[in-house]
Structures are given as structure tokens and as C-alpha cells.
Amino acid sequence: MLSSSRVALLGAALTGLSLVCSVRGAVGGPSNYSFPDGFMFGVATAAYQIEGAWNEDGKGESMWDTFLHKHPDYTPDRSNADVAADSYHKYMDDVAMIKDLGVEYYRLSISWPRLLPNGTDNNISKAGVRYYRKLIKELQSANITPVVTLFHWDLPTPLMDLGGWANPIMVNYFRDYARVAFNLFGDVVKIWTTMNEPHQHCYNGYGSDYFAPAIKSHGVGEYLCIHYILLAHAAAYHLYDQEFRPNQKGKVGITLDAFWAKPKNNSKPEDIEAAERYLQMHVGLFAHPIYSKEGDYPDIARKRVDSISLHEGYTRSRLPTFSPEEVNALRGSSDFFGLNHYTTFLMSPSSWEKTWLIPSLDSDTGVKLEQDAKWIKPGAEWFSIYPQGFRKLINWVTNQYGKEIPIIITENGMSDFGGINDYLRVSYYNEYMAQMLMAIYEDGCNVQGYFAWTLMDDFEWKDGYVSKFGLYYVDFDSPEKTRTPKQSAINYREIVRTRRINFDFIKKPSPAQFNKL
Ligand code: BGC
């Protein structure tokens, strides 16, 4: 049920969104473009956010389990993902929902501690293997291709106790885990992503306390995490190349996240420079070592962190250095560019902001982030709607790393506070996908797939169950965790069926109709 203030807000938001529509040049009807043949449509989820069954059948603890049991106040609703959407038991319903959407791909993640309860490959859980086998089999019988992420943030607690990604030994442990996964599931899984959003994970979890493990070793911890997570990615990629690719013939990539960085004032060179600096030090920090011709961290990141560290009195830079062999191992270590995108920020230069920890990736970057008050803010505090940013970002990635590397949008979706009449989410998807189509057809970008985030409402990290991203509504109060399709699910199904966006397929209700909802 929507409260009256929520109705008013949503009504205003819908009016706002039609303003955004006019930027596209069409206010209704089908979009100008249909999706290319072979374009991959999918939906994405992550193990910790949906599976539940946190300690069932011998599953080990992940660092998110441990952290949330220790800090019940971390989320606004004092929640955790012990049960979540209970997909461990309800995976058949999930597959039926995916099938109903008509998509051919499902991006899921393996819970590392469900497969290897201690994190190490000396103990492989039979129940864990059985669960993922059953899930993959169910997907296959529905003609849905699995796309599997190895690490979506739920590190086994025993490995976290050793320092997690700040410890170089993790490169070996990750390679061992990847070997187990490739061995067990590689006969049917042909598309892998090693890591999900290492930037969010390292920046929020090691550089601050916004995410678990909340180490807050700002200025040092996030760079160690970034460094070893990148090396772990490369180790898994080469392992696949050497031991599995000849027989399994699959693809291995990485998923990186990126906000679009829009200069606050387009006519100010310093804002344009700040936006570019932000992109290099956030996306480039991960993408340059892997996708650029030269490899290694971007020059600007190397120079800034080196000189600021020196100035602060450190003997060596807080940003670790790759050996020439490591630069080589990382360069080219991905068969596609997995890109997650949600929102845009306005960028301007700054030498100090009160929200920054000093030193940190933020202060090293020296860019202030804001959002335009005119942009619609439908849910989470960090989230505003600016569809044009998506096209710009896809173009930026293409210009930086070349058209040869296929881009797969591994996540895109909208946060709100719930309900099945999610008309704003319908518009969000229509508008963002329309921008992606323009990037493909008008700008020649090589985007080969799109995964909506997310299949159903789930545990949204810091926001608990308050912020929702699902195409399906989940009644978390019901023992059955009942799932109901939202308007956005019906709309997405139509896009996938027709391979076209029809902006009129789901009509926005008039204010009078709206009040009856
Ligand atoms: C993550 C998801 C998360 C989503 C929305 C991405 O950062 O990969 O796990 O739920 O964004 O916040």
C-alpha cells in the first residue's frame, strides 16, 4: 500500500521523468531501434543477497554473516540475510520467474563459503555442490544460460580473519577456489566473471566502514584490496586459459562498476578535468591494468598517490606497485568488459570535503561529488536518475579501451521503497535501455548484453530490506517469501519478447487513477 505522501512524491517523480523523456526526442511509442540479433538479455542476482540458509547443510560463514551478527544495528531495519529471499530452498521458483521474463541468461554468484566452508579447497561441501548443480540443471532445462560470478563480496570468514584481500596469499586461495568451480561446473557454465565491483567492495569495505568488513584503513586498505583482488582476478583468468579453456571453451571476464562523472559546469575546464580524473581513479584504476594497451595503473593515479604519499611522510607510496610480470599477467586478462551502472554524479575539483577520510581514495582523487537537485531521487540516498549518463559512460569505456572489447552490462536497475506498481522503474528501464541502444547504433559501441538488476527484491547491503531493486516483489514477512511480478517485470518481458522498447506499453496512471492505487 502506498502512503499519500509517497503517492504525491511518485506523482511528481513521474512528471519529472516525462521531462527526461523529451531529451530522447520521443515521448511515446516504440523506440527507434530494436535490439541487435544475438543481443543477450538477462537478469542478475548475488548469493548473499537472496540465498539465505546461512548455516544450513554445512555452509561456512561469510564475512557478511559474521559482520551482521556482530553489528545488528548496521542496517536501518536491523536486518541481515540469514533467510533473505530463501532462494536456497526456492530456486525452482526463481528459475520459473526468469523463464517467465523470457530472458535467456541468468547472472548468479556462487557463495564461496557454501562451496568451500573454510574458504580452502581441502574441504568441498557436497551439499554446496549439489545446490549449484541443481540450480544450473534447472536453468538448463528452462533454456537459460548461467553467467556465474565467483566473488560477489561474501568472502569466507576464515580468510577474512587472515586479512582478506589485504593479504597477498588471497591470490592463491582465490585461484584454488576458481579451480574447484571451473572443475565442478565448467562443463555447463561457459561465461564467468571473477569479481563483482571490486571498487565498491574495496573502497567501502577496506577504505571505510560503509560495507563489511568495515576495516576503515583509509588510504591504505582500499589500495591493498584493489591490488590483490586484481592479481587474484588475473590468476583465475590464466588458470582458466591454461587448464580449462581448451576443453571448456568458455569466457572469463570481470565486472566493474561506474557512475557517470558529469562535469558540474560544462564550460569550466577544471570541472571537465575533475570528471576525467574521477573516472581514471575509479574505473581506470581497475580497467587500465586489464584493458589498456600499456597496462598497469593509470598514470594519473600512480603520480597522484605517489606524490601525496611522499608529501605525507610515507617511505613508499600507499598504492602498491605491480612487477613487470604482474603488469603482463593483468594486461588482456578479460574476454569482455562487465559494466555495472546505476547513477550519475556532478564533478568539480576540491582539496577537502568534510565527508572525506584523510588520506583516502577520495582525498587522493580530489573531486567533489554532488547530484543535481532536479534529478529524481526514487530511493537509496546515493541514487538519482540521469539516463543520458549511461550512454556517455558506455562511450567513455569504448573510447578508452577500444571497440574490440565487448561490453556486457552486467547490472543496471533502480532503487525505490517498494510496491508492485513501480511505474518509475518501468520508465527508468525504458530510458536507460534507450540510451544504451543509442550508444550501440549511433555511436558504434560494442554492447553485447544487458542484465537487469535485479530479479527480485533482496538484501540491499547497507540499506537492508528498505531499498528495493527487484522486478519481482518479495513479501519478506511471509514464510513462503512470496514473489509477485511488478509492472517493471511485465514491461521487461515485453521488451525481451519484441526486442524493442515501447514507451507506451505500460501506461503511466493519471493522478486520479494514481490515487486509487
Ligand atoms: C551490487 C549489487 C547491489 C546493487 C545495488 C551493485 O553495487 O553489485 O550487489 O545490490 O549494486 O546497490
Side-chain angles (χ1 to χ4, degrees):
M1 204 41 155
L2 292 166
S3 72
S4 55
S5 57
R6 182 69 57 71
V7 170
L9 260 179
L10 206 50
L14 285 167
T15 319
L17 206 71
S18 42
L19 290 177
V20 175
C21 293
S22 60
V23 176
R24 176 173 48 85
V27 190
S31 76
N32 297 336
Y33 304 111
S34 45
F35 286 87
D37 289 344
F39 189 84
M40 303 158 65
F41 281 109
V43 275
T45 61
Y48 183 69
Q49 294 178 273
I50 61 164
E51 280 180 5
W54 76 279
N55 62 352
E56 253 181 79
D57 296 340
K59 175 182 167 290
E61 271 189 42
S62 84
M63 63 109 177
W64 273 96
D65 295 318
T66 310
F67 179 80
L68 286 169
H69 293 157
K70 240 188 239 164
H71 304 282
D73 287 331
Y74 167 78
T75 48
D77 51 357
R78 294 181 56 87
S79 62
N80 59 38
D82 286 0
V83 182
D86 200 20
S87 288
Y88 186 68
H89 300 109
K90 299 188 65 80
Y91 67 93
M92 295 193 17
D93 295 20
D94 296 354
V95 176
M97 284 147 60
I98 302 163
K99 191 174 176 191
D100 198 51
L101 288 171
V103 299
E104 288 169 340
Y105 293 85
Y106 177 44
R107 175 172 176 247
L108 63 123
S109 78
I110 293 179
S111 155
W112 184 344
R114 192 177 299 288
L115 197 60
L116 306 180
N118 317 316
T120 48
D121 62 355
N122 60 320
N123 173 19
I124 303 175
S125 156
K126 288 203 176 65
V129 176
R130 218 178 304 125
Y131 171 65
Y132 291 110
R133 272 267 160 213
K134 282 189 303 188
L135 171 56
I136 292 170
K137 195 155 171 248
E138 192 70 15
L139 288 167
Q140 277 188 305
S141 31
N143 280 324
I144 298 159
T145 305
V147 175
V148 176
T149 301
L150 289 170
F151 179 70
H152 200 124
W153 305 353
D154 44 357
L155 196 76
T157 298
L159 298 184
M160 193 65 243
D161 292 343
L162 297 177
W165 295 109
N167 185 341
I169 196 69
M170 223 48 65
V171 175
N172 290 345
Y173 287 130
F174 184 72
R175 189 200 286 109
D176 298 343
Y177 160 51
R179 180 181 286 108
V180 172
F182 295 153
N183 251 324
L184 285 168
F185 310 116
D187 54 339
V188 274
V189 176
K190 301 297 173 192
I191 310 177
W192 297 91
T193 71
T194 53
M195 310 286 179
N196 177 72
E197 300 195 357
H199 162 248
Q200 292 298 333
H201 181 69
C202 297
Y203 168 80
N204 288 310
Y206 290 67
S208 90
D209 56 4
Y210 188 74
F211 280 170
I215 292 175
K216 214 176 174 180
S217 162
H218 50 90
V220 175
E222 66 266 53
Y223 292 125
L224 289 174
C225 172
I226 291 167
H227 196 75
Y228 296 116
I229 231 173
L230 281 171
L231 289 171
H233 154 79
Y237 181 86
H238 291 292
L239 168 79
Y240 190 82
D241 239 17
Q242 286 147 16
E243 295 181 20
F244 297 94
R245 197 189 292 271
N247 292 329
Q248 298 187 351
K249 302 185 177 16
K251 300 216 179 301
V252 180
I254 188 168
T255 278
L256 305 179
D257 64 283
F259 302 135
W260 173 240
K262 181 171 163 28
K264 184 171 178 187
N265 182 337
N266 261 322
S267 52
K268 280 194 174 170
E270 61 271 31
D271 289 5
I272 296 172
E273 202 184 310
E276 180 59 23
R277 185 161 75 242
Y278 178 85
L279 288 167
Q280 291 298 345
M281 295 206 45
H282 288 72
V283 193
L285 207 54
F286 301 86
H288 199 272
I290 298 174
Y291 299 105
S292 72
K293 302 227 168 7
E294 320 79 72
D296 210 339
Y297 292 121
D299 244 20
I300 185 169
R302 180 80 276 156
K303 287 196 180 121
R304 281 183 80 90
V305 188
D306 288 1
S307 78
I308 299 172
S309 305
L310 195 69
H311 184 75
E312 288 162 343
Y314 287 87
T315 305
R316 76 192 79 79
S317 176
R318 290 180 278 101
L319 178 65
T321 307
F322 292 123
S323 68
E325 295 72 34
E326 291 170 338
V327 169
N328 277 338
L330 270 157
R331 195 172 36 209
S333 65
S334 193
D335 301 324
F336 57 87
F337 194 121
L339 180 63
N340 289 0
H341 173 71
Y342 288 92
T343 193
T344 291
F345 283 88
L346 299 173
M347 308 280 161
S348 54
S350 170
S351 48
W352 184 81
E353 295 295 318
K354 66 174 180 300
T355 51
W356 291 352
L357 298 163
I358 312 277
S360 64
L361 179 55
D362 284 329
S363 60
D364 290 336
T365 306
V367 175
K368 177 179 179 180
L369 275 66
E370 297 162 87
Q371 285 181 324
D372 192 324
K374 292 196 288 300
W375 295 345
I376 299 160
K377 231 177 168 23
E381 132 305 306
W382 54 272
F383 198 108
S384 290
I385 301 179
Y386 184 71
Q388 298 94 317
F390 194 21
R391 177 179 180 181
K392 296 254 187 212
L393 175 67
I394 295 170
N395 270 276
W396 186 86
V397 169
T398 304
N399 292 336
Q400 290 289 312
Y401 309 112
K403 285 192 178 157
E404 310 72 47
I405 186 85
I407 299 174
I408 300 176
I409 306 303
T410 36
E411 286 180 29
N412 174 239
M414 194 196 87
S415 157
D416 69 8
F417 296 120
I420 58 170
N421 289 314
D422 58 342
Y423 297 102
L424 195 54
R425 181 172 288 107
V426 169
S427 304
Y428 178 97
Y429 276 124
N430 288 344
E431 293 299 330
Y432 271 69
M433 281 198 236
Q435 293 290 330
M436 177 178 69
L437 284 173
M438 287 192 270
I440 296 172
Y441 286 106
E442 294 177 25
D443 312 330
C445 298
N446 184 8
V447 184
Q448 299 193 352
Y450 177 92
F451 288 71
W453 183 269
T454 177
L455 174 61
M456 65 195 143
D457 294 339
D458 63 3
F459 177 79
E460 181 45 34
W461 310 112
K462 176 79 183 138
D463 290 334
Y465 296 96
V466 175
S467 161
K468 316 276 190 188
F469 280 86
L471 291 167
Y472 281 74
Y473 166 85
V474 176
D475 180 357
F476 288 104
D477 294 330
S478 70
E480 286 303 309
K481 309 294 172 210
T482 317
R483 288 108 153 101
T484 314
K486 302 182 188 178
Q487 297 287 340
S488 55
I490 298 165
N491 185 62
Y492 191 41
R493 182 172 57 199
E494 184 66 3
I495 293 175
V496 174
R497 190 184 73 76
T498 58
R499 304 189 82 78
R500 225 186 169 116
I501 304 163
N502 179 353
F503 294 89
D504 288 336
F505 178 65
I506 295 214
K507 294 259 196 266
K508 297 165 192 166
S510 69
Q513 289 166 321
F514 216 88
N515 284 329
K516 292 197 200 120
L517 293 175

